Amino acid sequence: MNALLAVAQIKGPHLDWAGLSPLIALLGGAVTVLLLGLLRNRLVRRICVPLLTMLVLAAAAGLSIWRWHHAATLVSGALRVDDLSLLLGLVAIAAAAACVLLSLRAAAPAVAGEGEYHALLLSTVSGMVVLLAAQNFVTLFLGFELLSIPLYVLCGSELRRRGSLESGLKYLIVGSVGSATLLYGLALIYGATGSTDFSGVAAALSSGSLASDPLLLTGVALTAAGLCFKCSVAPFHQWTPDVYQGAPTPITAFQAVATKAAAFGIFLRLFDGALINAQPSWGPILAALAAITIIVGNVGALGQSSLKRMLAYSSVAQAGYMLGGVLVSTRLGLQATVFYLAIYLFMNMAAFAVIVARERETGEGDDIAGMVGLGSSRPLLAWPMTLAMLSLAGIPATAGFIGKVYLIDALVDGGYAWLAVVLVVGSMISLAYYLRVVAAMWMRPSAGVAGARPIMAGGSAEAPTATRLSGLEVSVVAALFGAATLVFGIVPSPLLSLARDAGKALTGIF
Amino acid sequence: MAIGWYLVVSALIFCIGAGGVLTRRNPLVILLCLELMLNAANLALVAFARMHGGEDGQIFALIVMVVAACEVTVGLGLIVALYRRRLPIDVDELHELQG
């Protein structure tokens, strides 16, 4: 028996610890943060837990930058860490850092427990890192769920508010339908090609005999539908406004940016990598979906008075723009999508930071009425919001303009000029609701509005005017991301070169 | 045995699950239907693994089972939290009555 045990050695895969280091930092950090949150000392929980979370995120970001240009295939081909996954991973990490800052004084971590809240945030980010690096269906699905499940909990983390719990449950149900659809699609692709590796799938498809296989086409369609749920591409977007509105605002800000980056990252890897040879069959269908998404998102946003709902519809529209970059399957399209995902971080985070601030300062919640007169009363909040809105609309001198031009360039170059026209028309419609926010901030007087409204029904006397400030860190986040929107609109070249590096990661496209 | 029958059964289960999620109102039943959808995919995976003769599909199915369990746990937790949110009102009243 002993001899048998001595002979039976387990042959594990070779582990490249350096390549895995960002992921290890995040997962180890999640466990440490969870344990630290168990301490009963209020000071430790209020200050040390967010501080440690920031340190973990900084370490993961530093390790990601260290691995830049060191593309490596890890864990016997299960993961591939290259510039594409690192850049989009950095976007997710930055979004998580902003989320930690925005939730410093929020209700959600206090109710749910600081340790749990931040540990869940870190595990979501690690799910994104896994998903972005996935090289076979198993890691894809694992990353997808590691991203999703903590996020469901985070959406429901304000346990005492019904809206938050509802949004968590809704997101869980819709998200699980999405992941089940994705899984079924992956199973069918596996059946058609006989491989769960992206490289194996690509090799099986390259012969061309499978291109019209019904099993494969059904699988591709179901996979695309599952990913579209996560990217909130119409007609799979219905959950977006409800979940965005109900979830705690810092979490909404995080998921709007980071989930999109991760989901589009894997969209690029799977469709422009493994399934590239089936592009003639899925390209036109995704183009139709993108056009529908642009129209539905922009028209849906027009009638919203809640800013979070408006930004949710706007994120649907933006998903349509980015899907355009995926479906052309060119290197230009890949770079344009990555660039847009990066600037989407800046403009969306700036807007959500201002919403967090106004939710705390006024009793209006996230209603657009909370923005009235912000230009004269709080210019430091009004400027980032203005920049974010103009950038989301695509006004020149903001980063959004460069991103849109890049995407339109990719669409025309890839033979989808009609979709570029839809994109421009959609942007024109979007001006109506973005400029409404800008007009509310700058063109209406604040006197008698901000001061007269009671902060809370039956509130104490210590909150008479809008002087109840939202905290320095929120303004800093808003100013930082607002400034980045402007800076990368005027000097886009550093970000463009990063996007170009990321674009070199996939080898099968031209 | 032809693979076709396994696929038909699995597609049927998937459609039953999807139909249940769309039509049912009770969150517990919806969670059950989600399980059906995931298990339909598992059946397809195992059948394909048998067809191709590798073990990739079976390993995938095992991992999916673990993930499905996690998902249901979180779902049940959220449902319990939703129900409990209504409870404290009643519980507080009971305390007051007792003095």
Side-chain angles (χ1 to χ4, degrees):
Chain A
M1 185 68 194
N2 275 338
L4 199 70
L5 279 179
V7 173
Q9 279 187 347
I10 299 171
K11 198 163 147 273
H14 166 71
L15 290 182
D16 176 4
W17 296 106
L20 279 174
S21 55
L23 188 60
I24 292 171
L26 285 169
L27 284 171
V31 175
T32 321
V33 165
L34 187 63
L35 289 178
L36 189 66
L38 289 177
L39 295 179
R40 297 193 63 87
N41 188 337
R42 203 162 155 274
L43 184 80
V44 171
R45 282 192 288 135
R46 275 287 159 87
I47 294 168
C48 293
V49 169
L51 197 67
L52 184 67
T53 315
M54 289 301 275
L55 282 178
V56 169
L57 288 169
L63 290 168
S64 301
I65 293 168
W66 173 50
R67 297 316 296 168
W68 192 256
H69 285 321
H70 288 77
T73 304
L74 312 171
V75 205
S76 50
L79 297 170
R80 180 164 175 81
V81 176
D82 51 24
D83 291 354
L84 176 65
S85 64
L86 287 175
L87 181 61
L88 292 180
L90 280 172
V91 168
I93 290 170
C99 173
V100 172
L101 285 178
L102 291 183
S103 46
L104 270 186
R105 281 167 233 220
V111 174
E114 276 85 359
E116 288 87 336
Y117 182 88
H118 290 98
L120 283 169
L121 189 66
L122 287 177
S123 32
T124 306
V125 178
S126 59
M128 290 166 183
V129 170
V130 172
L131 181 63
L132 284 166
Q135 279 298 296
N136 67 28
F137 293 162
V138 182
T139 31
L140 191 164
F141 187 70
L142 269 181
F144 199 78
E145 292 293 302
L146 187 57
L147 177 175
S148 307
I149 294 177
L151 209 50
Y152 305 147
V153 186
L154 283 173
C155 283
S157 59
E158 263 183 59
L159 290 167
R160 305 221 177 90
R161 196 160 54 81
R162 192 173 179 91
S164 171
L165 283 175
E166 265 183 26
S167 88
L169 190 63
K170 248 179 204 169
Y171 195 20
L172 174 102
I173 289 170
V174 180
S176 305
V177 172
S179 44
T181 316
L182 171 77
L183 177 67
Y184 203 74
L186 294 180
L188 293 185
I189 296 179
Y190 166 58
T193 59
S195 173
T196 57
D197 288 337
F198 287 6
S199 53
V201 171
L205 286 178
S206 62
S207 64
S209 58
L210 273 173
S212 59
D213 183 31
L215 203 58
L216 177 82
L217 292 183
T218 320
V220 171
L222 287 173
T223 309
L227 288 176
C228 285
F229 269 108
K230 198 90 295 170
C231 308
S232 54
V233 167
F236 311 103
H237 70 286
Q238 275 97 348
W239 59 272
T240 319
D242 291 354
V243 172
Y244 275 33
Q245 193 185 20
T249 313
I251 295 300
T252 312
F254 168 72
Q255 70 161 346
V257 173
T259 314
K260 268 217 165 63
F264 272 106
I266 195 63
F267 226 125
L268 287 168
R269 254 190 206 288
L270 187 59
F271 280 76
D272 290 348
L275 300 172
I276 184 78
N277 287 312
Q279 201 267 348
S281 16
W282 53 257
I285 297 170
L286 285 190
L289 280 186
I292 295 170
T293 308
I294 293 171
I295 303 290
V296 165
N298 280 321
V299 173
L302 283 176
Q304 305 299 330
S305 65
S306 149
L307 279 173
K308 276 159 88 180
R309 277 188 93 82
M310 189 204 90
L311 280 176
Y313 275 108
S314 123
S315 89
V316 173
Q318 311 275 339
Y321 306 155
M322 286 184 256
L323 193 58
V326 177
L327 62 93
V328 292
S329 303
T330 57
R331 197 165 297 280
L332 193 61
L334 173 59
Q335 289 162 357
T337 313
V338 172
F339 181 78
Y340 206 90
L341 283 168
I343 59 163
Y344 190 65
L345 164 76
F346 303 133
M347 44 204 194
N348 234 23
M349 215 31 113
F352 274 109
V354 177
I355 295 176
V356 169
R358 291 312 279 175
E359 267 185 343
R360 291 186 201 166
E361 289 169 5
T362 69
E364 305 277 1
D366 63 327
D367 199 274
I368 198 168
M371 294 292 155
V372 169
L374 201 64
S376 51
S377 63
R378 300 289 306 282
L380 276 179
L381 286 180
W383 273 111
M385 190 69 171
T386 310
L387 284 172
M389 290 295 128
L390 294 180
S391 178
L392 282 165
I395 304 285
T398 59
F401 174 71
I402 311 280
K404 281 216 176 96
V405 168
Y406 211 175
L407 276 176
I408 290 170
D409 187 18
L411 280 172
V412 174
D413 176 66
Y416 283 95
W418 66 271
L419 193 58
V421 175
V422 176
L423 196 159
V424 173
V425 172
S427 305
M428 271 155 39
I429 302 174
S430 76
L431 275 176
Y433 55 88
Y434 290 132
L435 289 184
R436 201 154 62 99
V437 179
V438 178
M441 283 190 295
W442 295 101
M443 292 184 178
R444 278 182 240 158
S446 65
V449 178
R453 295 246 179 191
I455 303 290
M456 267 183 287
S460 57
E462 61 172 353
T465 54
T467 47
R468 199 179 72 144
L469 293 181
S470 52
L472 183 66
E473 73 279 357
V474 181
S475 310
V476 168
V477 170
L480 205 65
F481 285 100
T485 311
L486 189 64
V487 168
F488 287 115
I490 297 167
V491 196
S493 42
L495 208 52
L496 282 175
S497 75
L498 289 184
R500 242 175 247 130
D501 284 346
K504 287 178 195 140
L506 294 186
T507 47
I509 55 175
F510 303 100
Chain B
M1 187 83 184
I3 183 105
W5 289 108
Y6 292 98
L7 281 188
V8 168
V9 172
S10 121
L12 211 60
I13 297 177
F14 188 81
C15 293
I16 292 171
V21 172
L22 290 175
T23 54
R24 290 308 189 96
R25 293 266 168 268
N26 188 332
L28 285 173
V29 182
I30 292 180
L31 281 186
L32 283 177
C33 293
L34 286 173
E35 283 300 289
L36 275 185
M37 291 173 79
L38 286 173
N39 281 323
N42 272 349
L43 182 59
L45 278 172
V46 174
F48 284 131
R50 189 65 188 251
M51 184 177 88
H52 291 302
E55 64 274 10
D56 291 4
Q58 295 185 19
I59 294 169
F60 199 171
L62 276 175
I63 287 174
V64 171
M65 282 178 207
V66 177
V67 169
C70 301
E71 225 168 49
V72 167
T73 314
V74 167
L76 287 177
L78 280 171
I79 292 171
V80 169
L82 262 176
Y83 279 114
R84 230 190 233 168
R85 210 191 134 271
R86 237 180 286 156
L87 273 181
I89 308 163
D90 301 337
V91 175
D92 279 353
E93 280 170 8
L94 285 177
H95 277 298
E96 276 180 15
L97 280 177
Q98 280 175 345

